[in-house]
Short mmCIF file of all heavy atoms in Angstrom, two decimals:
data_model
loop_
_atom_site.label_atom_id
_atom_site.label_comp_id
_atom_site.label_asym_id
_atom_site.label_seq_id
_atom_site.Cartn_x
_atom_site.Cartn_y
_atom_site.Cartn_z
N PHE C 688 -21.93 -22.73 16.80
CA PHE C 688 -22.41 -24.07 16.36
C PHE C 688 -22.29 -25.00 17.58
O PHE C 688 -22.57 -26.18 17.40
CB PHE C 688 -21.60 -24.57 15.23
CG PHE C 688 -21.59 -23.71 14.03
CD1 PHE C 688 -20.45 -23.41 13.29
CD2 PHE C 688 -22.80 -23.16 13.55
CE1 PHE C 688 -20.49 -22.59 12.19
CE2 PHE C 688 -22.84 -22.32 12.45
CZ PHE C 688 -21.67 -22.04 11.78
N ALA C 689 -21.85 -24.48 18.72
CA ALA C 689 -21.47 -25.37 19.78
C ALA C 689 -22.73 -26.09 20.49
O ALA C 689 -22.48 -27.07 21.16
CB ALA C 689 -20.66 -24.59 20.83
N ASP C 690 -23.89 -25.52 20.41
CA ASP C 690 -24.96 -26.22 21.03
C ASP C 690 -26.27 -25.99 20.27
O ASP C 690 -26.33 -25.20 19.35
CB ASP C 690 -25.09 -25.75 22.47
CG ASP C 690 -25.49 -24.32 22.65
OD1 ASP C 690 -26.51 -23.81 22.15
OD2 ASP C 690 -24.61 -23.59 23.20
N LEU C 691 -27.25 -26.83 20.58
CA LEU C 691 -28.57 -26.83 19.88
C LEU C 691 -29.23 -25.47 19.76
O LEU C 691 -29.77 -25.17 18.77
CB LEU C 691 -29.56 -27.70 20.61
CG LEU C 691 -29.54 -29.25 20.41
CD1 LEU C 691 -28.28 -29.85 21.08
CD2 LEU C 691 -30.73 -29.82 21.02
N LEU C 692 -29.11 -24.60 20.74
CA LEU C 692 -29.74 -23.29 20.81
C LEU C 692 -29.01 -22.39 19.90
O LEU C 692 -29.59 -21.82 18.98
CB LEU C 692 -29.85 -22.80 22.21
CG LEU C 692 -30.72 -23.67 23.15
CD1 LEU C 692 -30.73 -23.01 24.52
CD2 LEU C 692 -32.21 -23.68 22.68
N ALA C 693 -27.76 -22.30 20.08
CA ALA C 693 -26.97 -21.33 19.29
C ALA C 693 -27.11 -21.55 17.73
O ALA C 693 -27.29 -20.72 16.98
CB ALA C 693 -25.46 -21.36 19.70
N ARG C 694 -27.15 -22.93 17.52
CA ARG C 694 -27.17 -23.29 16.10
C ARG C 694 -28.50 -22.84 15.46
O ARG C 694 -28.52 -22.66 14.21
CB ARG C 694 -27.32 -24.79 16.01
CG ARG C 694 -25.92 -25.51 16.00
CD ARG C 694 -26.07 -27.01 16.32
NE ARG C 694 -24.85 -27.48 16.87
CZ ARG C 694 -24.79 -28.55 17.62
NH1 ARG C 694 -25.84 -29.29 17.85
NH2 ARG C 694 -23.66 -28.95 18.11
N ARG C 695 -29.50 -22.56 16.21
CA ARG C 695 -30.80 -22.24 15.65
C ARG C 695 -31.19 -20.81 16.02
O ARG C 695 -32.29 -20.45 15.85
CB ARG C 695 -31.84 -23.16 16.09
CG ARG C 695 -31.62 -24.62 15.58
CD ARG C 695 -32.55 -25.61 16.21
NE ARG C 695 -32.40 -26.90 15.66
CZ ARG C 695 -31.52 -27.77 16.04
NH1 ARG C 695 -30.66 -27.46 17.01
NH2 ARG C 695 -31.43 -28.95 15.44
N ALA C 696 -30.22 -19.95 16.42
CA ALA C 696 -30.49 -18.58 16.63
C ALA C 696 -30.15 -17.73 15.52
O ALA C 696 -28.93 -17.60 15.19
CB ALA C 696 -29.75 -18.13 17.97
N PRO C 697 -31.10 -17.20 14.85
CA PRO C 697 -30.86 -16.55 13.61
C PRO C 697 -29.83 -15.41 13.54
O PRO C 697 -29.01 -15.38 12.69
CB PRO C 697 -32.25 -16.00 13.17
CG PRO C 697 -33.22 -16.84 13.94
CD PRO C 697 -32.53 -17.22 15.17
N ALA C 698 -29.87 -14.52 14.56
CA ALA C 698 -28.97 -13.43 14.63
C ALA C 698 -27.58 -13.95 14.83
O ALA C 698 -26.62 -13.48 14.06
CB ALA C 698 -29.31 -12.44 15.70
N LEU C 699 -27.33 -14.87 15.74
CA LEU C 699 -25.98 -15.44 15.84
C LEU C 699 -25.53 -16.06 14.57
O LEU C 699 -24.30 -16.02 14.30
CB LEU C 699 -26.00 -16.52 16.98
CG LEU C 699 -26.25 -15.98 18.41
CD1 LEU C 699 -26.23 -17.14 19.39
CD2 LEU C 699 -25.04 -15.00 18.76
N GLN C 700 -26.41 -16.66 13.93
CA GLN C 700 -26.00 -17.38 12.63
C GLN C 700 -25.58 -16.37 11.48
O GLN C 700 -25.07 -16.79 10.56
CB GLN C 700 -27.05 -18.35 12.14
CG GLN C 700 -27.29 -19.59 12.99
CD GLN C 700 -26.00 -20.34 13.35
OE1 GLN C 700 -25.22 -20.60 12.38
NE2 GLN C 700 -25.70 -20.54 14.60
N GLN C 701 -25.84 -15.07 11.77
CA GLN C 701 -25.43 -14.09 10.75
C GLN C 701 -24.13 -13.41 11.14
O GLN C 701 -23.58 -12.58 10.39
CB GLN C 701 -26.46 -13.07 10.58
CG GLN C 701 -27.77 -13.54 9.97
CD GLN C 701 -28.90 -12.58 10.19
OE1 GLN C 701 -28.67 -11.37 10.32
NE2 GLN C 701 -30.09 -13.10 10.27
N THR C 702 -23.51 -13.85 12.27
CA THR C 702 -22.26 -13.19 12.68
C THR C 702 -21.11 -13.84 11.94
O THR C 702 -21.21 -14.88 11.38
CB THR C 702 -22.08 -13.42 14.22
OG1 THR C 702 -21.94 -14.79 14.38
CG2 THR C 702 -23.19 -12.91 14.99
N ARG C 703 -19.92 -13.13 12.04
CA ARG C 703 -18.75 -13.69 11.41
C ARG C 703 -18.31 -14.99 12.05
O ARG C 703 -17.73 -15.83 11.45
CB ARG C 703 -17.67 -12.66 11.53
CG ARG C 703 -17.75 -11.48 10.56
CD ARG C 703 -16.73 -10.46 10.90
NE ARG C 703 -15.46 -10.80 10.53
CZ ARG C 703 -14.83 -10.39 9.34
NH1 ARG C 703 -15.55 -9.65 8.54
NH2 ARG C 703 -13.63 -10.80 9.16
N ASP C 704 -18.65 -15.10 13.37
CA ASP C 704 -18.28 -16.37 14.02
C ASP C 704 -19.13 -17.53 13.44
O ASP C 704 -18.70 -18.73 13.83
CB ASP C 704 -18.53 -16.23 15.58
CG ASP C 704 -17.30 -15.70 16.29
OD1 ASP C 704 -16.26 -15.88 15.84
OD2 ASP C 704 -17.48 -15.03 17.36
N ALA C 705 -20.10 -17.32 12.85
CA ALA C 705 -20.93 -18.39 12.24
C ALA C 705 -20.66 -18.59 10.79
O ALA C 705 -21.46 -19.21 10.03
CB ALA C 705 -22.44 -18.05 12.48
N ALA C 706 -19.55 -18.16 10.34
CA ALA C 706 -19.21 -18.25 8.91
C ALA C 706 -18.98 -19.82 8.66
O ALA C 706 -18.65 -20.56 9.52
CB ALA C 706 -17.89 -17.54 8.55
N VAL C 707 -19.34 -20.16 7.39
CA VAL C 707 -19.17 -21.57 6.93
C VAL C 707 -17.65 -21.97 7.12
O VAL C 707 -16.82 -21.25 6.67
CB VAL C 707 -19.60 -21.74 5.49
CG1 VAL C 707 -19.24 -23.21 5.04
CG2 VAL C 707 -21.08 -21.46 5.38
N PRO C 708 -17.42 -23.17 7.73
CA PRO C 708 -16.00 -23.49 7.96
C PRO C 708 -15.26 -23.59 6.60
O PRO C 708 -15.81 -24.01 5.61
CB PRO C 708 -16.10 -24.95 8.60
CG PRO C 708 -17.50 -24.97 9.16
CD PRO C 708 -18.35 -24.13 8.31
N ALA C 709 -13.98 -23.40 6.68
CA ALA C 709 -13.08 -23.54 5.61
C ALA C 709 -12.04 -24.56 5.99
O ALA C 709 -11.97 -24.97 7.15
CB ALA C 709 -12.44 -22.19 5.29
N ALA C 710 -11.20 -24.94 5.03
CA ALA C 710 -10.04 -25.87 5.34
C ALA C 710 -8.87 -24.90 5.54
O ALA C 710 -8.32 -24.35 4.57
CB ALA C 710 -9.84 -26.83 4.24
N ARG C 711 -8.54 -24.61 6.74
CA ARG C 711 -7.53 -23.64 6.95
C ARG C 711 -6.15 -24.28 7.26
O ARG C 711 -5.99 -25.14 8.08
CB ARG C 711 -7.99 -22.78 8.24
CG ARG C 711 -9.23 -21.94 7.89
CD ARG C 711 -10.02 -21.58 9.16
NE ARG C 711 -9.24 -20.65 10.02
CZ ARG C 711 -9.73 -20.06 11.13
NH1 ARG C 711 -11.04 -20.46 11.47
NH2 ARG C 711 -8.97 -19.28 11.85
N MET C 712 -5.24 -23.72 6.53
CA MET C 712 -3.76 -24.22 6.78
C MET C 712 -2.87 -23.11 6.61
O MET C 712 -3.16 -22.16 5.93
CB MET C 712 -3.51 -25.46 5.90
CG MET C 712 -3.70 -25.17 4.35
SD MET C 712 -4.07 -26.66 3.44
CE MET C 712 -5.84 -26.56 3.17
N ASN C 713 -1.67 -23.32 7.10
CA ASN C 713 -0.64 -22.24 6.91
C ASN C 713 -0.11 -22.28 5.50
O ASN C 713 -0.37 -23.23 4.69
CB ASN C 713 0.44 -22.28 8.01
CG ASN C 713 1.39 -23.48 7.87
OD1 ASN C 713 1.50 -24.04 6.78
ND2 ASN C 713 1.89 -23.85 8.94
N GLY C 714 0.50 -21.17 5.14
CA GLY C 714 0.87 -20.96 3.76
C GLY C 714 1.77 -22.15 3.26
O GLY C 714 1.66 -22.52 2.11
N GLU C 715 2.71 -22.48 4.16
CA GLU C 715 3.60 -23.50 3.68
C GLU C 715 2.90 -24.86 3.41
O GLU C 715 3.12 -25.44 2.36
CB GLU C 715 4.62 -23.77 4.88
CG GLU C 715 5.92 -24.16 4.50
CD GLU C 715 6.87 -24.08 5.74
OE1 GLU C 715 7.07 -22.99 6.29
OE2 GLU C 715 7.35 -25.19 6.13
N THR C 716 2.02 -25.27 4.24
CA THR C 716 1.20 -26.48 4.00
C THR C 716 0.46 -26.36 2.74
O THR C 716 0.34 -27.27 1.90
CB THR C 716 0.27 -26.76 5.17
OG1 THR C 716 1.08 -26.71 6.42
CG2 THR C 716 -0.39 -28.06 5.14
N LEU C 717 -0.17 -25.17 2.58
CA LEU C 717 -1.04 -24.91 1.38
C LEU C 717 -0.20 -25.10 0.13
O LEU C 717 -0.58 -25.80 -0.82
CB LEU C 717 -1.57 -23.50 1.46
CG LEU C 717 -2.69 -23.18 0.46
CD1 LEU C 717 -4.07 -23.73 1.01
CD2 LEU C 717 -2.81 -21.66 0.41
N LYS C 718 1.05 -24.55 0.19
CA LYS C 718 1.93 -24.61 -0.92
C LYS C 718 2.40 -26.02 -1.25
O LYS C 718 2.40 -26.56 -2.34
CB LYS C 718 3.05 -23.70 -0.63
CG LYS C 718 3.72 -23.12 -1.91
CD LYS C 718 4.70 -22.04 -1.64
CE LYS C 718 5.97 -22.18 -2.56
NZ LYS C 718 7.17 -21.53 -1.97
N ALA C 719 2.76 -26.73 -0.17
CA ALA C 719 3.21 -28.11 -0.26
C ALA C 719 2.13 -28.95 -0.91
O ALA C 719 2.41 -29.97 -1.59
CB ALA C 719 3.61 -28.57 1.09
N LEU C 720 0.86 -28.57 -0.70
CA LEU C 720 -0.25 -29.41 -1.19
C LEU C 720 -0.62 -28.92 -2.61
O LEU C 720 -1.57 -29.48 -3.18
CB LEU C 720 -1.38 -29.25 -0.27
CG LEU C 720 -1.27 -29.93 1.09
CD1 LEU C 720 -2.39 -29.52 2.04
CD2 LEU C 720 -1.29 -31.50 0.90
N GLY C 721 0.04 -27.98 -3.09
CA GLY C 721 -0.21 -27.38 -4.47
C GLY C 721 -1.49 -26.68 -4.50
O GLY C 721 -2.20 -26.59 -5.55
N LEU C 722 -1.97 -26.10 -3.29
CA LEU C 722 -3.25 -25.46 -3.33
C LEU C 722 -3.01 -23.93 -3.27
O LEU C 722 -1.86 -23.41 -3.01
CB LEU C 722 -4.07 -25.88 -2.17
CG LEU C 722 -4.39 -27.43 -1.96
CD1 LEU C 722 -4.88 -27.72 -0.68
CD2 LEU C 722 -5.27 -27.78 -3.22
N THR C 723 -4.08 -23.19 -3.52
CA THR C 723 -3.98 -21.69 -3.34
C THR C 723 -5.22 -21.26 -2.50
O THR C 723 -6.18 -22.02 -2.44
CB THR C 723 -3.97 -21.03 -4.67
OG1 THR C 723 -5.10 -21.48 -5.42
CG2 THR C 723 -2.72 -21.10 -5.45
N ASP C 724 -5.06 -20.10 -1.96
CA ASP C 724 -6.14 -19.60 -1.04
C ASP C 724 -7.37 -19.43 -1.85
O ASP C 724 -7.44 -18.94 -2.97
CB ASP C 724 -5.73 -18.23 -0.52
CG ASP C 724 -6.64 -17.73 0.51
OD1 ASP C 724 -6.74 -18.24 1.61
OD2 ASP C 724 -7.34 -16.73 0.22
N GLY C 725 -8.48 -19.99 -1.29
CA GLY C 725 -9.82 -19.82 -1.94
C GLY C 725 -10.18 -20.87 -2.80
O GLY C 725 -11.37 -21.02 -3.17
N VAL C 726 -9.31 -21.81 -3.25
CA VAL C 726 -9.78 -22.92 -4.03
C VAL C 726 -10.59 -23.95 -3.19
O VAL C 726 -10.43 -24.02 -2.11
CB VAL C 726 -8.60 -23.69 -4.75
CG1 VAL C 726 -7.78 -22.84 -5.67
CG2 VAL C 726 -7.70 -24.47 -3.70
N LEU C 727 -11.47 -24.67 -3.90
CA LEU C 727 -12.30 -25.66 -3.26
C LEU C 727 -11.51 -26.85 -3.14
O LEU C 727 -10.79 -27.29 -4.05
CB LEU C 727 -13.61 -25.92 -4.02
CG LEU C 727 -14.66 -24.92 -4.02
CD1 LEU C 727 -15.88 -25.32 -4.82
CD2 LEU C 727 -15.03 -24.53 -2.50
N VAL C 728 -11.53 -27.45 -1.89
CA VAL C 728 -10.83 -28.72 -1.68
C VAL C 728 -11.72 -29.72 -1.12
O VAL C 728 -12.75 -29.48 -0.53
CB VAL C 728 -9.60 -28.57 -0.73
CG1 VAL C 728 -8.57 -27.60 -1.31
CG2 VAL C 728 -10.03 -27.94 0.62
N ARG C 729 -11.37 -30.97 -1.37
CA ARG C 729 -12.12 -32.11 -0.79
C ARG C 729 -11.26 -32.67 0.33
O ARG C 729 -10.18 -33.13 0.15
CB ARG C 729 -12.37 -33.16 -1.84
CG ARG C 729 -13.19 -34.33 -1.37
CD ARG C 729 -13.57 -35.26 -2.54
NE ARG C 729 -14.67 -34.67 -3.31
CZ ARG C 729 -14.71 -34.26 -4.60
NH1 ARG C 729 -13.47 -34.24 -5.25
NH2 ARG C 729 -15.64 -33.76 -5.23
N VAL C 730 -11.79 -32.62 1.55
CA VAL C 730 -11.10 -33.22 2.64
C VAL C 730 -11.77 -34.48 3.01
O VAL C 730 -13.02 -34.61 2.93
CB VAL C 730 -11.05 -32.29 3.95
CG1 VAL C 730 -10.17 -31.03 3.67
CG2 VAL C 730 -12.47 -31.94 4.43
N ARG C 731 -10.92 -35.51 3.35
CA ARG C 731 -11.46 -36.80 3.61
C ARG C 731 -10.99 -37.36 4.89
O ARG C 731 -9.83 -37.28 5.32
CB ARG C 731 -10.96 -37.83 2.53
CG ARG C 731 -11.81 -37.91 1.29
CD ARG C 731 -11.73 -39.21 0.64
NE ARG C 731 -12.51 -39.21 -0.52
CZ ARG C 731 -12.00 -38.84 -1.72
NH1 ARG C 731 -10.77 -38.54 -1.88
NH2 ARG C 731 -12.77 -38.77 -2.75
N GLN C 732 -11.90 -38.04 5.60
CA GLN C 732 -11.50 -38.82 6.73
C GLN C 732 -12.34 -40.10 6.64
O GLN C 732 -13.56 -40.11 6.57
CB GLN C 732 -11.82 -38.20 8.09
CG GLN C 732 -10.82 -36.99 8.44
CD GLN C 732 -11.14 -36.53 9.79
OE1 GLN C 732 -12.29 -35.78 9.94
NE2 GLN C 732 -10.33 -36.68 10.74
N GLY C 733 -11.62 -41.22 6.50
CA GLY C 733 -12.40 -42.47 6.38
C GLY C 733 -13.23 -42.43 5.13
O GLY C 733 -12.77 -41.96 4.12
N ALA C 734 -14.43 -42.80 5.24
CA ALA C 734 -15.36 -42.90 4.15
C ALA C 734 -15.99 -41.59 3.88
O ALA C 734 -16.69 -41.38 2.84
CB ALA C 734 -16.41 -43.93 4.31
N GLY C 735 -15.81 -40.58 4.79
CA GLY C 735 -16.56 -39.32 4.60
C GLY C 735 -15.67 -38.23 4.06
O GLY C 735 -14.51 -38.23 4.09
N GLU C 736 -16.38 -37.22 3.52
CA GLU C 736 -15.61 -36.15 2.95
C GLU C 736 -16.49 -34.86 3.05
O GLU C 736 -17.65 -34.90 3.31
CB GLU C 736 -15.35 -36.42 1.50
CG GLU C 736 -16.57 -36.59 0.63
CD GLU C 736 -16.23 -36.81 -0.88
OE1 GLU C 736 -15.37 -37.61 -1.23
OE2 GLU C 736 -16.80 -36.05 -1.77
N ALA C 737 -15.71 -33.77 2.82
CA ALA C 737 -16.44 -32.51 2.83
C ALA C 737 -15.72 -31.60 1.79
O ALA C 737 -14.54 -31.70 1.68
CB ALA C 737 -16.36 -31.84 4.19
N VAL C 738 -16.49 -30.86 1.11
CA VAL C 738 -15.85 -29.88 0.15
C VAL C 738 -15.91 -28.47 0.82
O VAL C 738 -17.00 -27.98 1.05
CB VAL C 738 -16.61 -29.92 -1.15
CG1 VAL C 738 -15.99 -28.86 -2.16
CG2 VAL C 738 -16.48 -31.28 -1.77
N LEU C 739 -14.71 -27.92 0.88
CA LEU C 739 -14.57 -26.64 1.58
C LEU C 739 -13.69 -25.78 0.81
O LEU C 739 -12.89 -26.21 0.00
CB LEU C 739 -14.02 -26.81 3.00
CG LEU C 739 -14.75 -27.87 3.93
CD1 LEU C 739 -13.85 -28.14 5.07
CD2 LEU C 739 -16.10 -27.35 4.39
N ALA C 740 -13.66 -24.45 1.07
CA ALA C 740 -12.67 -23.61 0.51
C ALA C 740 -11.44 -23.68 1.32
O ALA C 740 -11.51 -23.69 2.57
CB ALA C 740 -13.27 -22.17 0.61
N ALA C 741 -10.33 -23.71 0.64
CA ALA C 741 -8.97 -23.72 1.30
C ALA C 741 -8.70 -22.25 1.72
O ALA C 741 -9.00 -21.32 0.88
CB ALA C 741 -7.91 -24.20 0.37
N ARG C 742 -8.17 -22.08 2.91
CA ARG C 742 -7.88 -20.70 3.35
C ARG C 742 -6.50 -20.68 4.05
O ARG C 742 -6.12 -21.58 4.81
CB ARG C 742 -8.81 -20.28 4.39
CG ARG C 742 -10.22 -19.91 3.84
CD ARG C 742 -10.23 -18.49 3.38
NE ARG C 742 -11.49 -18.21 2.69
CZ ARG C 742 -11.59 -17.88 1.37
NH1 ARG C 742 -10.57 -17.62 0.70
NH2 ARG C 742 -12.76 -17.73 0.85
N VAL C 743 -5.67 -19.67 3.75
CA VAL C 743 -4.42 -19.51 4.36
C VAL C 743 -4.73 -19.02 5.75
O VAL C 743 -5.53 -18.11 5.99
CB VAL C 743 -3.55 -18.49 3.68
CG1 VAL C 743 -2.27 -18.20 4.46
CG2 VAL C 743 -3.20 -18.98 2.24
N ASP C 744 -4.16 -19.72 6.75
CA ASP C 744 -4.31 -19.26 8.17
C ASP C 744 -2.99 -19.54 8.82
O ASP C 744 -2.70 -20.72 9.20
CB ASP C 744 -5.42 -20.07 8.80
CG ASP C 744 -5.59 -19.75 10.28
OD1 ASP C 744 -4.70 -18.98 10.81
OD2 ASP C 744 -6.46 -20.32 10.92
N GLU C 745 -2.20 -18.55 9.01
CA GLU C 745 -0.83 -18.81 9.48
C GLU C 745 -0.81 -19.18 10.98
O GLU C 745 0.17 -19.55 11.48
CB GLU C 745 0.04 -17.56 9.33
CG GLU C 745 0.31 -17.21 7.84
CD GLU C 745 1.01 -18.20 7.05
OE1 GLU C 745 1.58 -19.19 7.71
OE2 GLU C 745 0.94 -18.21 5.83
#
Side-chain angles (χ1 to χ4, degrees):
Chain C
F688 301 134
D690 62 63
L691 275 69
L692 295 175
R694 278 168 203 154
R695 293 172 176 84
L699 288 177
Q700 290 307 311
Q701 290 161 31
T702 62
R703 283 169 76 96
D704 272 333
V707 174
R711 294 157 65 174
M712 55 202 104
N713 69 26
E715 213 170 296
T716 309
L717 193 78
K718 208 170 141 201
L720 291 166
L722 302 170
T723 49
D724 187 69
V726 300
L727 284 182
V728 293
R729 181 172 283 112
V730 294
R731 269 207 185 92
Q732 285 184 293
E736 61 176 48
V738 174
L739 307 166
R742 287 274 172 240
V743 177
D744 175 358
E745 294 302 341

